[in-house]
Amino acid sequence: SNSSSSSSKNVGSHCHVIQVAVGKEHGLLLTDEGVVYSWGVNNGKGQLGRGENPEEPAPITSWNKGKDETDVMVQIACGREHSLALSQSGVLYAWGSNKAGQLGLGLSSRLKEVRIPTPVVLSRKDPSIRVKSCSCAPESSACVTTTGEVYVWGATSYYLFDSGGGYIDGENCGEPVKVRGVPSEENRMGRDGFMYAPASVAICREQLACTIRPEKLEDELAT
């Protein structure tokens, strides 16, 4: 009974959990109201995104760059000591350890760890790019954009791009890099005549895999 009452007190009215993600010593949960809770036995790198009572699940309330209160979260992911959360409007937030550039915020020494969820800018040339799904590896992150492009950063980026030798135009593992070779929008037609695009991505060391699905809902229903 003690466990039940404690859980009810911590989660409050946000009682329906729709997603859980876990790292080495921390975890996140996402409710059906778009609220992200965190907890863990170690918050040394800021991976909880908050400060008080780390071992008790509690909502993350401080979001860098002034998150709109109406912009709820729709997906979460955890690496070993870092976290990601994706908002309904397509803004991706990152926090925690940035040892290998896994936050996508750059490699500055002042960004070795980030304790407040901070927006990830996928492209300086086009900061309006929005995200539709995200994932983590231990010290890496990846995402798929709403237009079906795939970006990676952190350790996996370094391995995928020939130990850094494949980077061009100032690219590095500390910032999102677009994966080359993913079919462009005009070259995504399948044998069935439908247009397909990456929907989600998974990463592990030098490996990357994507699921694909029809770009249009009516095409997906037809398959």
Side-chain angles (χ1 to χ4, degrees):
S1 60
N2 289 338
S3 175
S4 175
S5 62
S6 174
S7 176
S8 299
K9 181 180 72 172
N10 290 332
V11 177
S13 63
H14 313 296
C15 57
H16 300 290
V17 177
I18 60 173
Q19 192 178 145
V20 175
V22 294
K24 181 181 179 182
E25 296 180 314
H26 79 290
L28 301 178
L29 65 82
L30 177 66
T31 74
D32 59 353
E33 294 186 358
V35 178
V36 179
Y37 284 72
S38 66
W39 75 97
V41 297
N42 188 343
N43 193 30
K45 302 297 182 181
Q47 56 265 52
L48 300 188
R50 59 180 185 83
E52 298 181 355
N53 302 317
E55 295 187 19
E56 296 288 336
I60 298 173
T61 57
S62 295
W63 299 80
N64 208 347
K65 305 294 184 182
K67 182 182 76 68
D68 187 336
E69 291 183 2
T70 63
D71 192 17
V72 299
M73 295 297 147
V74 296
Q75 188 182 5
I76 53 176
C78 286
R80 179 183 288 120
E81 295 179 317
H82 77 290
S83 306
L84 297 179
L86 175 61
S87 78
Q88 190 173 44
S89 68
V91 177
L92 183 63
Y93 292 84
W95 64 98
S97 172
N98 196 39
K99 177 182 178 182
Q102 60 263 49
L103 299 187
L105 305 175
L107 294 172
S108 169
S109 59
R110 66 182 178 83
L111 294 172
K112 289 298 183 183
E113 56 190 53
V114 174
R115 295 181 173 272
I116 298 177
T118 300
V120 179
V121 177
L122 296 186
S123 171
R124 295 178 182 177
K125 295 180 180 179
D126 185 4
S128 66
I129 295 175
R130 291 294 177 257
V131 175
K132 67 179 177 182
S133 67
C134 64
S135 68
C136 291
E139 293 184 337
S140 309
S141 302
C143 73
V144 179
T145 70
T146 54
T147 56
E149 297 172 326
V150 180
Y151 283 79
V152 295
W153 54 99
T156 290
S157 172
Y158 179 79
Y159 293 125
L160 281 177
F161 288 90
D162 191 24
S163 298
Y167 290 137
I168 58 175
D169 298 330
E171 295 172 337
N172 63 74
C173 66
E175 298 180 355
V177 178
K178 184 165 67 173
V179 176
R180 296 181 265 281
V182 177
S184 58
E185 289 187 77
E186 62 271 16
N187 295 307
R188 293 176 179 168
M189 184 174 290
R191 293 181 179 178
D192 54 10
F194 297 133
M195 301 296 287
Y196 289 84
S200 63
V201 59
I203 50 176
C204 181
R205 196 173 170 82
E206 73 280 359
Q207 298 180 331
L208 177 150
C210 288
T211 61
I212 61 172
R213 62 192 306 174
E215 290 185 337
K216 297 180 180 180
L217 179 60
E218 55 267 32
D219 291 345
E220 184 171 2
L221 292 175
T223 59

